[in-house]
PDB file of all heavy atoms in Angstrom:
ATOM      1  N   ALA A 628      -9.767 -20.349  10.010  1.00 29.00           N
ATOM      2  CA  ALA A 628      -9.378 -21.447  10.961  1.00 29.00           C
ATOM      3  C   ALA A 628      -9.758 -20.940  12.393  1.00 29.00           C
ATOM      4  O   ALA A 628      -9.211 -19.956  12.805  1.00 29.00           O
ATOM      5  CB  ALA A 628      -7.901 -21.722  10.849  1.00 29.00           C
ATOM      6  N   SER A 629     -10.643 -21.662  13.003  1.00 28.00           N
ATOM      7  CA  SER A 629     -11.023 -21.355  14.400  1.00 28.00           C
ATOM      8  C   SER A 629     -11.423 -19.890  14.569  1.00 28.00           C
ATOM      9  O   SER A 629     -11.069 -19.227  15.499  1.00 28.00           O
ATOM     10  CB  SER A 629      -9.845 -21.608  15.339  1.00 28.00           C
ATOM     11  OG  SER A 629      -9.453 -22.997  15.176  1.00 28.00           O
ATOM     12  N   GLY A 630     -12.178 -19.367  13.612  1.00 30.00           N
ATOM     13  CA  GLY A 630     -12.689 -18.005  13.751  1.00 30.00           C
ATOM     14  C   GLY A 630     -11.773 -16.913  13.376  1.00 30.00           C
ATOM     15  O   GLY A 630     -12.014 -15.762  13.588  1.00 30.00           O
ATOM     16  N   GLU A 631     -10.620 -17.284  12.786  1.00 30.00           N
ATOM     17  CA  GLU A 631      -9.604 -16.264  12.400  1.00 30.00           C
ATOM     18  C   GLU A 631     -10.003 -15.612  11.070  1.00 30.00           C
ATOM     19  O   GLU A 631      -9.580 -16.058  10.005  1.00 30.00           O
ATOM     20  CB  GLU A 631      -8.242 -16.898  12.321  1.00 30.00           C
ATOM     21  CG  GLU A 631      -7.801 -17.470  13.616  1.00 30.00           C
ATOM     22  CD  GLU A 631      -6.479 -18.236  13.476  1.00 30.00           C
ATOM     23  OE1 GLU A 631      -5.998 -18.452  12.340  1.00 30.00           O
ATOM     24  OE2 GLU A 631      -5.869 -18.537  14.534  1.00 30.00           O
ATOM     25  N   GLY A 632     -10.754 -14.519  11.152  1.00 35.00           N
ATOM     26  CA  GLY A 632     -11.157 -13.785   9.941  1.00 35.00           C
ATOM     27  C   GLY A 632     -12.358 -14.392   9.301  1.00 35.00           C
ATOM     28  O   GLY A 632     -13.008 -15.301   9.873  1.00 35.00           O
ATOM     29  N   CYS A 633     -12.646 -13.959   8.109  1.00 42.00           N
ATOM     30  CA  CYS A 633     -13.836 -14.421   7.399  1.00 42.00           C
ATOM     31  C   CYS A 633     -13.463 -15.399   6.221  1.00 42.00           C
ATOM     32  O   CYS A 633     -12.328 -15.605   5.949  1.00 42.00           O
ATOM     33  CB  CYS A 633     -14.611 -13.211   6.875  1.00 42.00           C
ATOM     34  SG  CYS A 633     -15.270 -12.210   8.182  1.00 42.00           S
ATOM     35  N   SER A 634     -14.452 -15.843   5.559  1.00 36.00           N
ATOM     36  CA  SER A 634     -14.217 -16.780   4.426  1.00 36.00           C
ATOM     37  C   SER A 634     -13.426 -16.179   3.334  1.00 36.00           C
ATOM     38  O   SER A 634     -13.558 -14.979   3.028  1.00 36.00           O
ATOM     39  CB  SER A 634     -15.575 -17.217   3.888  1.00 36.00           C
ATOM     40  OG  SER A 634     -15.419 -17.895   2.707  1.00 36.00           O
ATOM     41  N   THR A 635     -12.598 -16.956   2.730  1.00 33.00           N
ATOM     42  CA  THR A 635     -11.831 -16.517   1.605  1.00 33.00           C
ATOM     43  C   THR A 635     -12.692 -16.324   0.356  1.00 33.00           C
ATOM     44  O   THR A 635     -12.305 -15.713  -0.616  1.00 33.00           O
ATOM     45  CB  THR A 635     -10.698 -17.521   1.185  1.00 33.00           C
ATOM     46  OG1 THR A 635     -11.291 -18.804   1.046  1.00 33.00           O
ATOM     47  CG2 THR A 635      -9.644 -17.577   2.223  1.00 33.00           C
ATOM     48  N   ASN A 636     -13.957 -16.802   0.396  1.00 35.00           N
ATOM     49  CA  ASN A 636     -14.898 -16.516  -0.676  1.00 35.00           C
ATOM     50  C   ASN A 636     -15.487 -15.175  -0.513  1.00 35.00           C
ATOM     51  O   ASN A 636     -16.731 -15.035  -0.376  1.00 35.00           O
ATOM     52  CB  ASN A 636     -16.019 -17.598  -0.662  1.00 35.00           C
ATOM     53  CG  ASN A 636     -15.466 -18.986  -0.970  1.00 35.00           C
ATOM     54  OD1 ASN A 636     -14.695 -19.121  -1.874  1.00 35.00           O
ATOM     55  ND2 ASN A 636     -15.823 -19.985  -0.173  1.00 35.00           N
ATOM     56  N   GLY A 637     -14.659 -14.175  -0.573  1.00 38.00           N
ATOM     57  CA  GLY A 637     -15.158 -12.782  -0.438  1.00 38.00           C
ATOM     58  C   GLY A 637     -15.378 -12.445   1.010  1.00 38.00           C
ATOM     59  O   GLY A 637     -16.338 -11.729   1.351  1.00 38.00           O
ATOM     60  N   GLY A 638     -14.612 -12.948   1.909  1.00 46.00           N
ATOM     61  CA  GLY A 638     -14.817 -12.705   3.303  1.00 46.00           C
ATOM     62  C   GLY A 638     -14.246 -11.349   3.757  1.00 46.00           C
ATOM     63  O   GLY A 638     -13.697 -10.583   2.923  1.00 46.00           O
ATOM     64  N   CYS A 639     -14.348 -10.981   4.997  1.00 54.00           N
ATOM     65  CA  CYS A 639     -14.024  -9.625   5.430  1.00 54.00           C
ATOM     66  C   CYS A 639     -12.530  -9.534   5.903  1.00 54.00           C
ATOM     67  O   CYS A 639     -12.004 -10.437   6.499  1.00 54.00           O
ATOM     68  CB  CYS A 639     -14.884  -9.186   6.556  1.00 54.00           C
ATOM     69  SG  CYS A 639     -14.922 -10.297   8.004  1.00 54.00           S
TER      70      CYS A 639
END
Side-chain angles (χ1 to χ4, degrees):
S629 303
E631 298 175 348
C633 297
S634 167
T635 53
N636 296 314
C639 54

